[in-house]
Amino acid sequence: MDDFRSLWTLEPGLDFLNHGSFGACPRAVLEAQSELRARMERQPLQFLARDLEGLLDEARAALGEFVGGDADDLAFVPNATTGVNTVLRSLDLRAGDEIVTTDHAYNSCRNALRWQEERGVKSVYARVPWPLSGPWQVVESVLAAITPRTRLVMIDHVTSPTGLVFPVTEIVRRLPNVDVLVDGAHAPGMLPLDLRSIGAAYYTGNCHKWLCTPKGSAFLHVRRDRQAAMKPIVYGHGLNSPRTDRGPFRLQFDWGGTDDPTPFLCIPVALKYLASLMPWPSIMARNHAMAVAGRRLLLEALRIPEPAPEFMLGSLASVPLPDYSGERPVHTGVWWHPFQKQLLQKHRIEAPVMIFPEFPRQLIRISAQIYNSLDQYGRLAEVLRHGA
Ligand SMILES: Cc1ncc(COP(=O)(O)O)c(C=O)c1O
């Protein structure tokens, strides 16, 4: 089997089974980023004021082709949290309106709902069972939460705690009169994507997770009929630009103030580099197969049935752990669970342990990227079998 691990700068001797949280960028892409930064610092005016627009256009075109969207409908944002906040703050909602999401939604995105909650909008959490037996349970649960006051559904494409692929296309199709914001933080590079056929009003996705770009590169795809209302969180030069060669959506999102644009410019680099190791469909298939095989090892060690069918997984997989027996662990942006700490400190395994769906129930999640190998999940399974 190819050993891709040396192509990443990951700490030697560590079983890094948490690509999901923040991704990990290969050495070659980091080097390309360094070159871009050096070019920027050699002639900042040339780079930022003259070359950048064309470079962003190229990056957007490559990304659009990869995710099945028109480059004109894509805006770069630094991360999915910003993508979600951008949409929520742009919506003209009224007190009493409702936004439906699920109890598998990511913490920062739940917090993003507060901006509307502070204006009297109600967040409604559809309960999606965990364990579950099929995607219809997600659809049923979301549809049951819809009322005549529902103005938006915010739904994950791949859930963070449970690593499930939610049936977002079906949800969009079943809600012709309600706009859907898909939080696709994990989807680009994990799942084959065709934003056009998903048809959501809004879709945000990270490139720094499964596309392996440097951190701070994500996109927001806004359907053409919703772009006029969309405003970036930061108002910059683009807001009063007299230019007519580009629309306001493009102008406003492309210039939010001086910043390092190299994470976005590395998108075409990462797409090409990863494809040179293995075609993208094979990367996705291999990562999925590894997550499934890794999960089987953990399930066997814990002697429990699968909590979700294999076809609902991408390259993340979670398994329930016995209920938590200590004091409630604290969530400080990410969980820093005592068992997670023990895995790292005693066994050199990095894998997130989360309280889910609620205290004292908990789970552990594995990720599979091409630098991982099955023996790494085997070592985690052994720890689970014998107790840490
Ligand atoms: C489902 C989901 N949404 C949003 C995010 C936030 O991504 P970011 O930290 O890049 O904004 C994550 C991060 O793990 C996630 O899993």
Side-chain angles (χ1 to χ4, degrees):
M1 189 186 275
D2 301 306
D3 183 11
F4 294 115
R5 198 185 154 103
S6 61
L7 305 178
W8 268 258
T9 60
L10 292 162
E11 193 178 305
L14 176 71
D15 287 324
F16 189 72
L17 305 182
N18 191 5
H19 189 85
S21 280
F22 304 114
C25 185
R27 197 185 307 276
V29 179
L30 291 173
E31 283 166 4
Q33 183 183 31
S34 295
E35 278 167 31
L36 281 164
R37 284 180 168 151
R39 177 176 160 191
M40 174 164 68
E41 299 307 337
R42 267 196 301 275
Q43 219 298 32
L45 259 289
Q46 183 63 31
F47 189 84
L48 290 168
R50 298 177 202 118
D51 296 346
L52 181 58
E53 186 169 281
L55 294 172
L56 287 174
D57 285 348
E58 282 170 27
R60 231 177 337 251
L63 178 64
E65 200 177 314
F66 190 78
V67 299
D70 192 323
D72 282 346
D73 303 336
L74 286 171
F76 285 129
V77 288
N79 46 56
T81 304
T82 305
V84 165
N85 273 277
T86 302
V87 173
L88 291 172
R89 291 176 192 219
S90 294
L91 297 178
D92 183 19
L93 303 185
R94 303 283 133 92
D97 287 347
E98 293 176 0
I99 300 178
V100 169
T101 190
T102 79
D103 55 347
H104 293 232
Y106 190 68
N107 183 59
S108 71
C109 301
R110 293 173 183 226
N111 284 344
L113 292 169
R114 284 202 200 174
W115 197 85
Q116 287 290 354
E117 288 165 7
E118 285 158 6
R119 284 152 186 81
V121 173
K122 188 174 161 205
S123 300
V124 178
Y125 283 86
R127 300 221 165 268
V128 174
W130 163 258
L132 85 176
S133 43
W136 62 88
Q137 287 173 285
V138 183
V139 178
E140 271 174 14
S141 153
V142 169
L143 293 185
I146 304 292
T147 74
R149 293 177 300 280
T150 308
R151 296 287 167 269
L152 184 79
V153 168
M154 179 177 86
I155 186 89
D156 292 5
H157 200 167
V158 183
T159 60
S160 171
T162 41
L164 298 172
V165 179
F166 273 2
V168 291
T169 308
E170 175 69 0
I171 287 170
V172 173
R173 195 182 66 79
R174 298 283 290 273
L175 292 170
N177 300 316
V178 179
D179 279 351
V180 177
L181 160 59
V182 180
D183 172 3
H186 285 281
M190 182 197 284
L191 306 173
L193 268 188
D194 185 34
L195 297 184
R196 282 184 206 94
S197 64
I198 292 173
Y202 316 100
Y203 190 110
T204 187
N206 278 329
C207 302
H208 50 233
K209 289 187 190 283
W210 298 90
L211 287 186
C212 298
T213 61
K215 291 170 186 39
S217 54
F219 67 84
L220 173 61
H221 181 269
V222 182
R223 218 173 49 206
R224 206 74 49 103
D225 59 331
R226 293 291 183 268
Q227 285 175 13
M230 211 41 42
K231 291 279 181 286
I233 290 172
V234 174
Y235 284 3
H237 288 302
L239 200 70
N240 65 345
S241 170
R243 287 174 61 173
T244 52
D245 59 325
R246 305 187 153 224
F249 178 67
R250 170 69 55 250
L251 291 166
Q252 289 178 36
F253 278 89
D254 263 6
W255 195 259
T258 308
D259 206 344
D260 179 356
T262 59
F264 306 127
L265 304 185
C266 284
I267 293 170
V269 180
L271 285 174
K272 221 184 266 175
Y273 177 69
L274 272 283
S276 76
L277 304 178
M278 206 187 288
W280 270 103
S282 308
I283 294 177
M284 295 180 198
R286 175 178 158 142
N287 289 344
H288 169 70
M290 185 76 81
V292 164
R295 189 183 75 155
R296 282 190 199 142
L297 294 177
L298 305 192
L299 294 173
E300 253 170 55
L302 292 164
R303 296 169 195 275
I304 53 172
E306 60 177 28
E310 290 179 352
F311 72 84
M312 283 188 81
L313 303 181
S315 36
L316 291 172
S318 293
V319 301
L321 292 175
D323 281 356
Y324 191 69
S325 56
E327 253 178 56
R328 188 186 290 263
V330 184
H331 185 272
T332 54
V334 288
W335 289 105
W336 189 217
H337 190 291
F339 181 51
Q340 182 175 338
K341 207 183 266 187
Q342 209 174 351
L343 278 175
L344 180 64
Q345 291 170 352
K346 194 163 158 200
H347 304 281
R348 307 263 285 142
I349 296 173
E350 185 72 83
V353 181
M354 297 174 239
I355 296 297
F356 187 86
E358 57 208 15
F359 187 81
R361 288 175 66 194
Q362 55 178 349
L363 53 75
I364 186 163
R365 187 188 73 187
I366 52 172
S367 295
Q369 184 50 283
I370 57 171
Y371 54 73
N372 290 123
S373 52
L374 197 58
D375 54 306
Q376 297 184 299
Y377 308 96
R379 285 194 279 280
L380 174 58
E382 280 313 294
V383 178
L384 295 181
R385 191 187 307 276
H386 301 297

